[in-house]
Amino acid sequence: MAVLRNGVPQPNEWIRVADDQPLPENAKVIVSVERWRSEGERLRQLNGALGVFLKSDQSPLLIADDLHRLSLVALEFPKFTDGRAFSYARILRDRLGYKGEIRAVGQVLRDQYVFMLRCGIDTIEPPVEKRVEGYAEALREFSVFYQPTGDERATALQLRHQRKAVAA
Amino acid sequence: MYRYDQFDATFVRERTAQFSGQVARRLAGELTEEEFRPLRLKNGLYLQLHAYMLRVAIPYGELSSQQMRKLAYIARRYDKGYGHFTTRQNIQYNWPRLDDVPAILAHLAEVEMHAIQTSGNCIRNVTADHFAGIAADEVEDPRIWAEVIRQWSTLHPEFSYLPRKFKICLIASEHDRAAMRTHDIGLRIVRNAKGELGFAFYTGGGQGRTPIIGPLVKDFVAQEDLLSYLDATLRVYNMHGRRDNIYKARIKILVQALGAEEFTRQVDEEWLRIKDSVLKLPEAEVARIRRYFAPPDYEKLPVYVESFEDKKLSDPDFARWIRANTHDHKVDGYRIVSISLKPVGAAPGDITADQMDLVADLADTYSFGEIRATHRQNLILPHVRQQDLFEMWQKLQGVKLAEPNIDFVGDIIACPGLDYCNLANARSIPVAQRISRRFSDPKRQAEIGELRLNISGCINACGHHHVGHIGILGVDKKGEEFYQVTLGGSSAEDISLGKILGPAFSYDEITDAVEAVVDTYLDLRTGPAERFIDTYRRTGIDPFKEKVYGSLKERRSAAE
Amino acid sequence: MANDRTVHQMVTAQWLLGGESIYWTGSAWSESFAEGKVYADQAAADAALAEADAFVKQRKIVGPYLIEVEMDATGPQPTSARERIRAAHNATFAIDHGSWSGRIAD
């Protein structure tokens, strides 16, 4: 399944490896937190990029000390109504200063896509049955944002006062 | 009042277009009902017993006459000629069609209105003291901060998929007219020792199945830190609130489980990391919003108006209405007028399109075009000159909106109940109607005095029964409606939760039971100055229990 | 007697567009409760409910479920206050519509 970056489908270069599967060499692999903990040493010797998958009840604080070794953190959305990972993404970016890729995996609906980007998520893996074009459309729905979240989008408040400063 | 600038206006248009797209995708089969449901709820659209229901947001209860006329237009064109004001200062329509909702939203957007976050597991439309800006006892106008919160909470990217709904309420006086401590976050604007304004946070209150009075978790948060403290609170809740059990998912359960102290420690820990970030509120923005709430051009009026005083002396009905339905305004010569949406035998909170139009006209003629909705399902014309009151009262009488019963037993809060609501177990409105007819004599009501009677048709407590002086809760017993009575609740600054009187009453017994409670109070009170709630607190529940079940037994045996 | 009591059931749902309560007649949906087909055995009721799913997929109806009904001389009757109110398509009290008499056409 392709992943979406800025609404554009891209090939998925990452392989999610189940806990009981052998680890491929020279590949970009995503493993569970549990496997990362028990086999971290071996994983680092595989010459590939590493990613960790956080289930929706696993806070990024669990891997806070390892983030510099990780090129990707995948956040699970087991149901689209489970919004914990929105906060996890913000903690990764704002509190932990994580600069690598954050990916949303699972039940990610187009109506949540802008929210995800605004919270610091880079790529999403939408469910297979969904029209991917819809996600790109969703990114064009809003031009006004109220909350400052640390992403590059200007808020209504910033625009208001910028405009005034220019006028003055 | 607040007016949209180009950003607010563009935003609401974009949101309307987005929702229209969601409806189109539902109708085209791109969204299942399961997926559409949370999306429609975030836009206030429910599927009820007979039809869809659309709940329109009235942020902190403030409405212009122009907006009220638009609400009337929508009621006529897309509904059945009426609407229903709710306990969260919103209005809901009971009969819209799904395919009409995009058009309704487009009409609302024309007058700077919408249905955003009037339902769903997100931060709900913010409520505030309905006397904001006109009460002499406030330290600050809470509407300014309610507007700041409205903007911050609107389509919040991080907090739109919370464990459960999240309600915020703001007051700025010691006197609580907005049931502040029954909210997920109740905010009271206070002054600290240095004289600076800030917010006391009462977090983790709520009604529903597990009623909890919100504990004070933080006695002072500076104004500039309001948004960062809200963000920190919501982040802790979003991550740690329970998602495995819908009945344990509100923030109150988390606060109880952790203890208020530990909860506050976790919030503070998060807050200290973000308080000096982009969330810091710039003074310029607060000043911009504050300008919208500048007082209207009040006239300099005499305190004593002879014609007004004469009318009160010559017309006892008018005098009764003035006593019950008007309050002191902070400006001399003006009064705050409450329009009771509880005429005898009516559905509490309901208003016809014709009445909406008249209220809009009265607001234009007598009250600077301003209207408020209250959490007790009434309306307010905030600034009426004393010399205009008699004329205005006559016009209200013409459309059955002059019931002199504010805060009396007839001023009943009632949810829509089983007549409309998909969640209800029992009817609320017909029970309210029967009680209101039983106490139809305005003189008797005035003699009984302040008595807040709240009715919920199910344990979700939309009708605030836990905090009614008398609370009635509808329950289902094998498909039949029964009613449990609680006594001693209050939602004001002396907040308390009601205690169950005893076994539930049938639909046919409940009116008699309420009357027996009231009669018991009249027997027990030390004098007219002792309110129902005061008597109850002095005597406890036992004398009420004895009398009510005693008289019920007599009635039952007489019937046999 | 309680042991061999026959349970009578109907399939009910709501129109997707208007939300009105509707009843399965065996071949179509009707807003009239009286026209609803009564199933006396569970397997037949379950089969009818499964059939309703096709209408959900076609976006005609929403939320089908089974309700128990009581048979009397005049036909099936709802057994709960909730279903009585749904079947009546209205509140149980007189609604004040003011001067309104019908939705205004475009």
Side-chain angles (χ1 to χ4, degrees):
Chain A
M1 176 62 202
V3 294
L4 297 179
R5 185 187 291 273
N6 295 320
V8 183
Q10 308 201 320
N12 186 1
E13 296 171 345
W14 288 84
I15 304 166
R16 191 146 155 230
V17 185
D19 284 358
D20 55 358
Q21 275 177 354
L23 290 160
E25 300 237 5
N26 296 313
K28 297 182 163 183
V29 297
I30 304 173
V31 297
S32 69
V33 175
E34 292 77 14
R35 192 157 191 184
W36 168 255
R37 281 191 176 153
S38 60
E39 296 179 53
E41 204 53 46
R42 254 191 73 216
L43 285 163
R44 283 194 285 276
Q45 290 162 2
L46 286 173
N47 296 322
L50 292 172
V52 162
F53 182 90
L54 291 176
K55 289 201 220 125
S56 68
D57 59 354
Q58 293 177 322
S59 156
L61 296 177
L62 290 171
I63 50 168
D65 296 335
D66 304 323
L67 286 172
H68 59 286
R69 298 182 207 278
L70 300 175
S71 310
L72 179 143
V73 176
L75 299 175
E76 180 198 27
F77 286 80
K79 294 185 287 187
F80 66 91
T81 50
D82 184 343
R84 277 177 280 193
F86 290 106
S87 288
Y88 296 159
R90 296 213 55 197
I91 283 182
L92 279 167
R93 292 288 184 229
D94 302 350
R95 191 200 291 197
L96 303 173
Y98 181 62
K99 299 279 192 282
E101 178 174 338
I102 304 179
R103 176 172 295 187
V105 180
Q107 294 298 312
V108 289
L109 298 189
R110 66 171 261 182
D111 306 279
Q112 302 174 308
Y113 190 22
V114 175
F115 292 160
M116 291 184 175
L117 296 190
R118 296 219 66 219
C119 287
I121 290 167
D122 304 288
T123 53
I124 62 165
E125 253 186 82
V128 272
E129 69 278 11
K130 294 292 175 196
R131 269 178 60 228
V132 288
E133 306 78 44
Y135 289 76
E137 287 162 26
L139 294 188
R140 294 190 288 272
E141 284 172 344
F142 285 96
S143 67
V144 176
F145 304 94
Y146 284 113
Q147 303 78 13
T149 57
D151 74 347
E152 79 288 358
R153 290 169 181 81
T155 63
L157 189 154
Q158 288 161 339
L159 294 171
R160 269 169 195 148
H161 296 284
Q162 250 171 38
R163 202 175 42 138
K164 275 187 200 140
V166 170
Chain B
M1 61 188 283
Y2 187 72
R3 297 301 311 264
Y4 285 5
D5 67 2
Q6 66 181 86
F7 301 105
D8 300 304
T10 303
F11 174 83
V12 168
R13 269 201 308 277
E14 289 173 344
R15 176 68 180 111
T16 303
Q18 183 194 36
F19 188 73
S20 305
Q22 289 167 346
V23 172
R25 281 156 63 211
R26 172 72 181 103
L27 299 181
E30 281 181 49
L31 287 170
T32 63
E33 182 62 18
E34 191 203 356
E35 290 168 338
F36 181 57
R37 191 172 168 273
L39 299 179
R40 67 165 157 75
L41 288 177
K42 282 182 204 319
N43 210 47
L45 188 62
Y46 288 72
L47 183 52
Q48 297 289 37
L49 282 191
H50 311 294
Y52 286 90
M53 180 270 274
L54 179 68
R55 185 180 294 150
V56 175
I58 303 172
Y60 37 95
E62 191 157 71
L63 267 177
S64 69
S65 55
Q66 183 202 19
Q67 290 172 327
M68 185 64 106
R69 287 193 188 93
K70 183 63 94 175
L71 295 176
Y73 172 83
I74 290 167
R76 286 196 185 96
R77 174 150 179 196
Y78 299 103
D79 208 85
K80 297 190 176 181
Y82 70 105
H84 173 77
F85 280 95
T86 76
T87 52
R88 300 210 69 253
Q89 299 177 306
N90 293 320
I91 185 168
Q92 55 198 38
Y93 294 106
N94 293 306
W95 307 94
R97 289 174 57 85
L98 174 60
D99 46 350
D100 279 340
V101 173
I104 297 173
L105 294 175
H107 278 292
L108 289 171
E110 282 173 19
V111 294
E112 305 179 4
M113 294 186 85
H114 56 72
I116 298 169
Q117 289 163 222
T118 52
S119 179
N121 294 337
C122 50
I123 305 166
R124 299 290 186 86
N125 183 42
V126 58
T127 59
D129 184 350
H130 49 251
F131 283 1
I134 47 179
D137 61 348
E138 72 184 16
V139 296
E140 163 83 320
D141 188 334
R143 293 173 300 174
I144 298 160
W145 300 95
E147 176 57 27
V148 167
I149 292 172
R150 181 190 76 80
Q151 296 190 26
W152 161 81
S153 62
T154 298
L155 262 57
H156 198 295
E158 186 179 348
F159 306 130
S160 287
Y161 291 86
L162 295 169
R164 199 78 177 84
K165 58 186 164 186
F166 202 92
K167 301 175 180 176
I168 301 176
C169 172
L170 260 160
I171 65 170
S173 340
E174 208 166 309
H175 193 48
D176 183 359
R177 291 169 281 256
M180 181 268 287
R181 290 178 74 187
T182 66
H183 290 75
D184 295 278
I185 294 180
L187 295 172
R188 183 176 154 203
I189 306 178
V190 291
R191 264 184 213 287
N192 66 7
K194 288 187 233 158
E196 297 157 338
L197 289 171
F199 299 88
F201 272 67
Y202 294 84
T203 305
Q207 302 188 56
R209 186 171 302 247
T210 315
I212 290 171
I213 296 168
L216 177 66
V217 299
K218 191 84 179 166
D219 56 12
F220 191 81
V221 171
Q223 292 191 335
E224 58 180 18
D225 297 328
L226 173 65
L227 296 188
S228 56
Y229 206 82
L230 286 170
D231 245 43
T233 304
L234 267 293
R235 185 165 297 157
V236 168
Y237 170 57
N238 190 38
M239 292 193 296
H240 303 299
R242 284 183 64 172
R243 290 175 186 266
D244 59 331
N245 181 339
I246 187 180
Y247 302 118
K248 298 192 168 161
R250 296 286 288 271
I251 196 173
K252 62 192 173 189
I253 305 295
L254 179 66
V255 174
Q256 293 297 306
L258 293 174
E261 207 170 306
E262 169 59 16
F263 172 80
T264 309
R265 192 196 62 74
Q266 293 190 14
V267 172
D268 281 355
E269 189 187 346
E270 184 63 32
W271 175 58
L272 290 173
R273 290 174 214 273
I274 60 175
K275 80 189 262 279
D276 296 316
S277 69
V278 282
L279 287 165
K280 196 152 231 151
L281 256 177
E283 184 47 42
E285 175 65 1
V286 180
R288 182 187 77 88
I289 292 175
R290 186 181 296 278
R291 280 194 292 276
Y292 288 107
F293 298 102
D297 291 328
Y298 294 121
E299 294 165 54
K300 200 159 169 40
L301 297 171
V303 178
Y304 184 88
V305 177
E306 201 175 332
S307 62
F308 171 59
E309 301 299 331
D310 285 351
K311 284 290 181 203
K312 279 198 288 184
L313 287 174
S314 62
D315 191 328
D317 291 338
F318 177 60
R320 193 173 295 110
W321 179 78
I322 290 289
R323 272 198 304 278
N325 290 35
T326 71
H327 289 85
D328 290 342
H329 194 285
K330 70 177 181 188
V331 176
D332 282 346
Y334 289 89
R335 292 196 72 73
I336 302 168
V337 171
S338 294
I339 298 174
S340 170
L341 298 183
K342 326 287 175 65
V344 173
D350 273 16
I351 180 169
T352 66
D354 305 338
Q355 290 171 323
M356 290 185 215
D357 279 337
L358 183 101
V359 169
D361 290 347
L362 296 182
D364 279 338
T365 311
Y366 302 113
S367 187
F368 299 97
E370 284 183 35
I371 304 157
R372 308 270 177 91
T374 81
H375 92 277
R376 293 196 58 86
Q377 302 177 285
N378 293 313
L379 296 175
I380 282 178
L381 295 177
H383 345 261
V384 183
R385 302 187 307 179
Q386 289 185 106
Q387 63 253 50
D388 293 335
L389 283 165
F390 186 76
E391 191 180 285
M392 202 184 88
W393 172 69
Q394 288 180 310
K395 290 181 186 172
L396 284 170
Q397 277 189 314
V399 292
K400 291 190 262 178
L401 287 178
E403 199 66 38
N405 63 0
I406 295 297
D407 292 341
F408 293 161
V409 63
D411 184 8
I412 297 168
I413 289 182
C415 69
L418 193 54
D419 284 288
Y420 295 103
C421 178
N422 225 338
L423 301 172
N425 288 324
R427 286 172 292 167
S428 306
I429 294 170
V431 172
Q433 291 174 320
R434 285 181 169 196
I435 295 171
S436 126
R437 284 193 198 102
R438 180 70 60 92
F439 293 96
S440 61
D441 177 3
K443 282 184 222 124
R444 184 177 174 207
Q445 283 200 54
E447 194 186 301
I448 297 164
E450 183 184 331
L451 205 177
R452 300 178 183 223
L453 200 162
N454 299 352
I455 308 176
S456 304
C458 79
I459 193 65
N460 288 311
C462 297
H464 292 198
H465 66 277
H466 297 298
V467 291
H469 294 172
I470 299 177
I472 298 178
L473 165 65
V475 293
D476 171 283
K477 286 190 184 175
K478 295 182 185 153
E480 257 190 84
E481 303 157 288
F482 276 82
Y483 297 88
Q484 194 174 72
V485 173
T486 50
L487 299 184
S490 167
S491 67
E493 58 280 9
D494 62 349
I495 188 162
S496 55
L497 300 173
K499 209 169 146 185
I500 295 173
L501 181 67
F505 303 93
S506 71
Y507 181 77
D508 287 323
E509 289 165 347
I510 183 65
T511 312
D512 290 338
V514 168
E515 192 172 32
V517 168
V518 174
D519 287 343
T520 309
Y521 153 66
L522 291 174
D523 284 347
L524 289 169
R525 74 178 178 186
T526 53
E530 191 179 66
R531 300 175 307 160
F532 176 88
I533 186 74
D534 302 326
T535 302
Y536 170 84
R537 284 174 178 161
R538 181 171 55 77
T539 66
I541 204 163
D542 290 341
F544 290 94
K545 201 180 270 189
E546 251 169 62
K547 270 285 186 54
V548 173
Y549 291 98
S551 71
L552 186 74
K553 220 165 135 191
E554 277 169 33
R555 277 202 195 92
R556 278 180 184 160
S557 55
E560 269 164 20
Chain C
M1 177 188 149
N3 294 336
D4 58 7
R5 190 178 74 103
T6 309
V7 178
H8 294 96
Q9 294 183 99
M10 264 192 213
V11 184
T12 184
Q14 288 176 278
W15 288 126
L16 174 64
L17 287 181
E20 300 90 344
S21 35
I22 47 176
Y23 304 88
W24 180 242
T25 65
S27 58
W29 294 96
S30 167
E31 289 180 23
S32 161
F33 178 90
E35 289 175 8
K37 179 162 178 168
V38 177
Y39 296 93
D41 79 78
Q42 191 61 42
D46 290 342
L49 182 61
E51 240 182 292
D53 217 42
F55 295 89
V56 173
K57 292 208 170 73
Q58 291 163 27
R59 283 104 58 202
K60 297 277 188 246
I61 69 160
V62 61
Y65 62 97
L66 292 172
I67 50 169
E68 205 179 311
V69 299
E70 219 163 54
M71 301 305 291
D72 71 10
T74 59
Q77 303 296 334
T79 54
S80 67
R82 175 193 157 89
E83 292 303 332
R84 271 194 296 280
I85 292 168
R86 282 186 78 237
H89 299 285
N90 209 346
T92 60
F93 54 88
I95 293 168
D96 183 359
H97 299 278
S99 65
W100 181 88
S101 55
R103 291 186 192 186
I104 308 161
D106 278 301

